[in-house]
Amino acid sequence: MAARTTLSDVAREAGVSLATASRAINGSANRSVRPELAARVLAAAEKLSYSPDANAQAMARGHTTTLGLIVHDIADPYFSAIAAGVVRSATEAGLQVTLTTTQNDAGREAELVDLMRRQRARAVVVAGGREIGEHGALLGDAVTAFRQEGGGVAVIGQPIDGISAVAVNNTQGSADLAAALLDLGYRDMAVIGGPTDRLTARDRRTGFLEALAAQGVEIAAEDVLTCAFTWEGGYQAMTTLLERDHLPELVFATNDVMALGALAAAREAGKSVPRDVALAGFGDTAPLRDVTPGLTTVRIPMEYLGTKATDLALAAPDTREVVTVPCEVIVRDSTPARSSS
């Protein structure tokens, strides 16, 4: 079996040093090769059928051709739609996407960004709402360190100082939903609000409650339920509401996955949506196409979030841009107009 051609063989064939051959073939983060020498090296490599080593190229250039994508839960259709957008833009840029998940543990975001930095990823996109407190601060430190070593970074969700971001106008989106529900005649409402430490959930709760209060509609504190930002969280929260003596006219869940969990709980309890209780969510994720009745929600252009964030992560190193994406209220059969009588 013939020995594999090495870079040293190419250097000898081209009559250059090993360092020059490496810079010509693998690239370099800080040094270039004269065009005539580079042409000799490439001709020698072709003659000898030399295949460059991907790891060596990454070491020379300072990064690999990998783009890291960090999400909370790939089973959540919100994140899978974002991932589709990221993969599309990364593929067009000649990059391969490495997908990692925090498994709904926001504390792992910083660890995963640091892992991408050690693996010399070209860029990283962090998707998902930030947490309040220590975890958010650790993520800020991690993405800053990634940028300082030459990697591109963008976040989807609440911006981080000095880092490009694609932000969803969650507060305005939920305020617009509240206005639409008031126009439909709803006044007696409850909120499945998600966790208290997730900024996305907080912003959606705040926008909804403040818009109602501005129109003189107050929701009691016990009717704003906290839970996991998951199907199971929505199911448990709706179960709690169903066990009470009074069922509100409408329940707003701050994401679609929780709304679907709430819908399942209502049906298991023998309650009809919307006859016994109306229901609304947030996101307009793909599974809603198969749900009956159609769920009123707030549409987020999720694939666009992924493509735009990838473009920002791959932009010039000194680029710092925050793009705020508007939302759109979609009224469907789960919230029919209430009779004025």
Side-chain angles (χ1 to χ4, degrees):
M1 180 173 158
R4 183 176 183 273
T5 301
T6 67
L7 187 59
S8 294
D9 297 329
V10 174
R12 280 195 298 272
E13 178 69 23
V16 300
S17 69
L18 180 60
T20 297
S22 176
R23 287 193 292 271
I25 291 177
N26 297 322
S28 173
N30 49 32
R31 295 190 66 181
S32 60
V33 177
R34 296 202 312 272
E36 62 272 20
L37 290 181
R40 279 165 49 188
V41 172
L42 295 176
E46 183 177 2
K47 177 181 176 181
L48 298 177
S49 299
Y50 172 74
S51 297
D53 181 87
N55 288 330
Q57 289 183 322
M59 291 291 288
R61 295 172 182 169
H63 56 75
T64 66
T65 56
T66 296
L67 182 142
L69 170 60
I70 300 171
V71 302
H72 287 310
D73 181 5
I74 192 57
D76 186 328
Y78 174 82
F79 293 115
S80 58
I82 287 174
V86 170
V87 169
R88 180 180 301 110
S89 283
T91 300
E92 291 174 356
L95 300 178
Q96 179 178 348
V97 175
T98 296
L99 173 64
T100 59
T101 173
T102 68
Q103 297 180 323
N104 281 308
D105 178 3
R108 295 194 65 227
E109 285 182 322
E111 297 174 13
L112 293 173
V113 171
D114 191 55
L115 175 63
M116 296 292 176
R117 179 181 59 80
R118 295 197 306 272
Q119 292 179 344
R120 298 175 181 253
R122 165 69 179 81
V124 65
V125 173
V126 184
R130 310 281 80 79
E131 274 205 358
I132 300 167
E134 179 184 5
H135 291 159
L138 290 173
L139 177 61
D141 291 342
V143 294
T144 299
F146 191 96
R147 285 212 67 129
Q148 289 173 343
E149 293 195 10
V153 185
V155 298
I156 298 174
Q158 288 77 15
I160 295 174
D161 287 346
I163 302 297
S164 290
V166 182
V168 177
N169 200 336
N170 289 301
T171 304
Q172 188 59 53
S174 57
D176 292 343
L177 176 63
L181 295 174
L182 290 172
D183 286 345
L184 290 169
Y186 293 96
R187 296 295 183 273
D188 180 11
M189 306 185 215
V191 177
I192 297 177
T196 58
D197 59 355
R198 187 75 65 85
L199 288 170
T200 296
R202 185 199 66 182
D203 291 346
R204 292 175 186 175
R205 286 193 307 269
T206 298
F208 191 78
L209 295 173
E210 289 184 351
L212 293 181
Q215 298 301 316
V217 176
E218 299 288 344
I219 296 182
E222 61 268 23
D223 290 331
V224 180
L225 288 78
T226 60
C227 61
F229 219 40
T230 61
W231 188 96
E232 291 79 9
Y235 181 95
Q236 292 297 330
M238 179 61 98
T239 299
T240 297
L241 290 171
L242 292 165
E243 290 172 348
R244 296 178 179 176
D245 294 334
H246 172 71
L247 187 62
E249 298 170 348
L250 178 139
V251 174
F252 165 51
T254 55
N255 74 18
D256 286 343
V257 171
M258 292 193 302
L260 294 178
L263 177 62
R267 286 177 171 167
E268 286 186 19
K271 299 296 184 181
S272 168
V273 174
R275 187 182 64 243
D276 297 314
V277 57
L279 183 64
F282 201 114
D284 199 31
T285 51
L288 298 191
R289 300 167 190 166
D290 302 320
V291 172
T292 302
L295 184 70
T296 291
T297 188
V298 179
R299 177 174 293 164
I300 303 171
M302 285 166 283
E303 286 199 24
Y304 172 77
L305 301 184
T307 58
K308 186 61 180 178
T310 303
D311 292 344
L312 291 177
L314 298 176
D318 58 349
T319 299
R320 302 290 189 279
E321 183 178 355
V322 176
V323 177
T324 300
V325 178
C327 306
E328 177 187 4
V329 174
I330 307 296
V331 176
R332 298 194 178 105
D333 293 343
S334 67
T335 59
R338 290 184 60 80
S339 172
S340 58
S341 60

